[in-house]
Amino acid sequence: MPQPPLTELSASEARDLMVRGEVTAETYVGACLEAIAAREGEIAAWTALAPEQALAQARALDAARLAGEAPGALFGLPVGIKDVIDTADLPTENGSALFAGRQPETDAAAVAQIRAAGGIIIGKTVTTELANNFPGKTRNPHDPTRTPGGSSSGSAAAVGARTIPLALGTQTGGSVIRPASFCGIYGLKPTLGLISRRGALLQSHTLDTLGVYGRSIEDLAMITDAIGNHDPGDAVSFEHAPLRLTEAVRQGRAGPLRLALFRSPAWEEAEPAAQAALVAFARRLGAMAEEIEIPAMAEVRRHHAHVMGAEGAAYYGPFLRQKPELLSGFITARLTESLKIAAPDYARSMAAREPMYAAVAAVLQRFDAILTLSACGPAPKGLESTGNPVFNAMWTYLGVPCVSLPLLDVSGLPLGVQLVGARRGEGRLLATARALERHLAG
C-alpha cells in the first residue's frame, strides 16, 4: 500500500517516520513549506514565515540524530504560532496596528518548550485583532468563502489545510474549539494554567488559556505533554507531576463509555441541522450517552460576559484612551460597552464560578465526559464574522478542559463534537475521546 503524502500524516505518524530515519526532518519540513506555498494564496493563514530558518533547524536536528542524540518529543515537527504569542526570531504583532513591527526579545514559555522538544517554529499565524472577534484575512480551508473561526484563525486553517501538523492557539471565549470545529481538525483547550501564558498577550487573566491543534488525539497529547509544564511566571500555572497524556491515550480506558449529553444554555442558538446532528450522534451511542441537565449553569453566559468584558476593559482600555485611531470600530464599540460593567456585577460573576464548577464536577463523577456541540453549526458563510462562541465560552469561564473532535458533517462541512472534562483531567478526557473514536470505528 503506497504511503500517503507526507503532509497528510498526523504529527505522531510523521515523527515516527523521522525518528526511524525513513524520512529526514529536512524533507518533511520541505514538504510542509511546499504545501504552504500551494495553499497560502487561497487561505491566507500566515503573518510571517521563516522557511530558510526552518530548513536550517531541520538539518541541525537530522545531524544530531545521526550523531546519536536522542530525538525530542516534537522532533522535526513544524509548529505554527498564533501571532499573540511571543517569538524571539519573528515579529509578534497581535493582529493590531497598535503593535505593528513589534519584535519580542525572548520566546514565550510555550515556544521555548517547543524548541527544546525538537519542534520547529515555521512561522506566525493570523489572529483576529487583539485576539478578539474582528476578523483577520484568513479563510476556511474547506470553503474559502467561509470563516475559519477566531481568534486562532490562522493556526486552525493551516492545520486544517494539511500544510502543518501542529499549531498553538489561545481561548478567552471560544477561540480554540470553534476554529477546530469549523476547520475539521482536533483541538484541545486544556485546564486554565496547564500551559504557561508567559509571553502571550493577555486580555483576561482568569480566562485566557493556551491551546493546541493537531490531526489526531495522539497529536494533542504529544504536544501538550511537551509544553504543559508548571511556570512560576504565570499566576494561574499550577504544580503537577509530569504529564503522561500520550501514555493515557495509548492505554485507553476500561469498561463502557459514559457520556453526559448536555444541550446547554446555548442550545437555542444552534442551527437546527447542528442540533439534529448531535442528537443523532448521541442516539448512535445508545446507552453510552445519557441526556442530563445542569440547572446551576443557567446564568453561565451572563457571568462569562461580565468577566471577559470587565477584564478585557482593564487590559485594553488604555488603548482606547491612548490610540483610538489604531483600533477597529468593532473593538472600540466592544470596549466602550465593557467599560460600563459595574463592579458588583463583575464581583458576583467571579463568585459564581466555583459553585457552578462544583455542579459540573458532580456530573463528571458519574460520567467520563460531557458531550455537546463544538459550535452552533458549520462555518458561517462570509468573512465578516468569526462565528458564535456560545458553546465554548461557558467552559472557558469554568476553566475546564475541552476537546473538539471532527466527527460530524453538516451539508458537506465539518462540525465538531465537544467533550468536556474535569479540571486537571486531560488524561481521562483524551483517553475517553480515543475510546469514543475506537467505538465509532467498530
Side-chain angles (χ1 to χ4, degrees), residues 142-163:
H142 296 272
D143 179 351
T145 67
R146 296 175 184 268
T147 179
S151 60
S152 306
S153 311
S155 286
V159 175
R162 299 295 193 264
T163 60

Side-chain angles (χ1 to χ4, degrees), residues 54-437:
L55 288 167
Q57 291 173 25
R59 286 190 287 269
L61 288 168
D62 287 333
R65 187 186 66 79
L66 288 173
E69 185 175 311
L74 301 178
F75 178 83
L77 295 172
V79 184
I81 307 298
K82 182 178 180 179
D83 194 33
V84 296
I85 302 171
D86 285 353
T87 42
D89 50 3
L90 288 166
T92 303
E93 299 179 322
N94 301 322
S96 170
L98 286 163
F99 295 94
R102 176 178 175 267
Q103 177 58 63
E105 295 183 358
T106 58
D107 284 331
V111 171
Q113 289 161 357
I114 288 169
R115 295 191 203 272
I120 294 171
I121 308 304
I122 199 167
K124 303 302 285 290
T125 59
V126 171
T127 176
T128 60
E129 180 188 23
L130 298 174
N132 222 275
N133 283 9
F134 188 68
K137 63 182 180 178
T138 307
R139 297 182 287 275
N140 192 295
H142 296 272
D143 179 351
T145 67
R146 296 175 184 268
T147 179
S151 60
S152 306
S153 311
S155 286
V159 175
R162 299 295 193 264
T163 60
I164 55 170
L166 299 168
L168 295 189
T170 64
Q171 180 159 308
T172 314
S175 296
V176 169
I177 297 298
R178 187 171 82 265
S181 179
F182 289 171
C183 293
I185 60 174
Y186 294 80
L188 173 68
K189 183 212 78 71
T191 302
L192 176 72
L194 185 72
I195 300 174
S196 174
R197 307 173 302 183
R198 181 164 51 88
L201 178 73
L202 279 186
Q203 62 176 308
S204 170
H205 57 280
T206 70
L207 298 174
D208 288 338
T209 310
L210 262 67
V212 296
Y213 291 119
R215 308 264 185 81
S216 68
I217 295 165
E218 289 81 1
D219 288 0
L220 301 181
M222 179 173 64
I223 188 170
T224 307
D225 276 343
I227 67 176
N229 301 309
H230 173 56
D231 180 8
D234 181 353
V236 300
S237 181
F238 52 88
E239 294 188 26
H240 56 81
L243 295 178
R244 293 187 175 85
L245 303 182
T246 300
E247 182 180 333
V249 171
R250 285 176 181 161
Q251 288 181 346
R253 53 173 307 289
L257 282 172
R258 299 169 302 156
L259 300 177
L261 173 63
F262 182 46
R263 301 190 187 213
S264 88
W267 188 251
E268 295 306 316
E269 295 196 39
E271 297 174 17
Q275 294 176 341
L278 184 68
V279 170
F281 181 82
R283 284 178 182 156
R284 182 180 171 191
L285 297 177
M288 292 182 179
E290 177 185 332
E291 185 162 359
I292 62 152
E293 295 183 0
I294 309 177
M297 289 187 67
E299 297 298 320
V300 66
R301 297 171 61 185
R302 178 170 60 86
H303 292 312
H304 174 270
H306 286 163
V307 172
M308 183 173 175
E311 294 183 356
Y315 284 94
Y316 292 169
F319 302 153
L320 190 59
R321 294 191 297 272
Q322 296 163 7
K323 296 184 177 180
E325 71 279 5
L326 297 183
L327 298 174
S328 69
F330 175 89
I331 201 165
T332 296
R334 190 167 194 178
L335 285 173
T336 300
E337 285 302 307
S338 294
L339 287 165
K340 299 175 184 176
I341 296 171
D345 288 336
Y346 172 69
R348 279 190 288 268
S349 291
M350 288 291 288
R353 180 183 278 145
E354 294 311 308
M356 194 177 298
Y357 174 67
V360 170
V363 169
L364 291 166
Q365 290 291 319
R366 300 167 43 221
F367 295 92
D368 296 304
I370 292 169
L371 169 68
T372 190
L373 285 170
S374 295
C376 291
K381 194 88 169 174
L383 303 176
E384 300 79 21
S385 165
T386 60
N388 188 339
V390 67
F391 275 93
N392 319 120
M394 65 186 82
W395 308 117
T396 311
Y397 169 75
L398 294 176
V400 295
C402 312
V403 61
S404 184
L405 311 175
L407 298 179
L408 300 180
D409 179 287
V410 173
S411 302
L413 292 167
L415 177 64
V417 165
Q418 184 173 200
L419 297 182
V420 180
R423 291 175 185 168
R424 308 193 186 191
E426 280 77 9
R428 181 186 182 197
L429 179 64
L430 293 180
T432 297
R434 193 69 187 92
L436 174 60
E437 284 198 327

Side-chain angles (χ1 to χ4, degrees), residues 21-43:
E22 297 178 27
V23 173
T24 66
E26 182 179 8
T27 297
Y28 182 61
V29 170
C32 291
L33 288 168
E34 288 177 6
I36 290 170
R39 296 219 61 188
E40 180 60 7
E42 179 185 24
I43 63 171

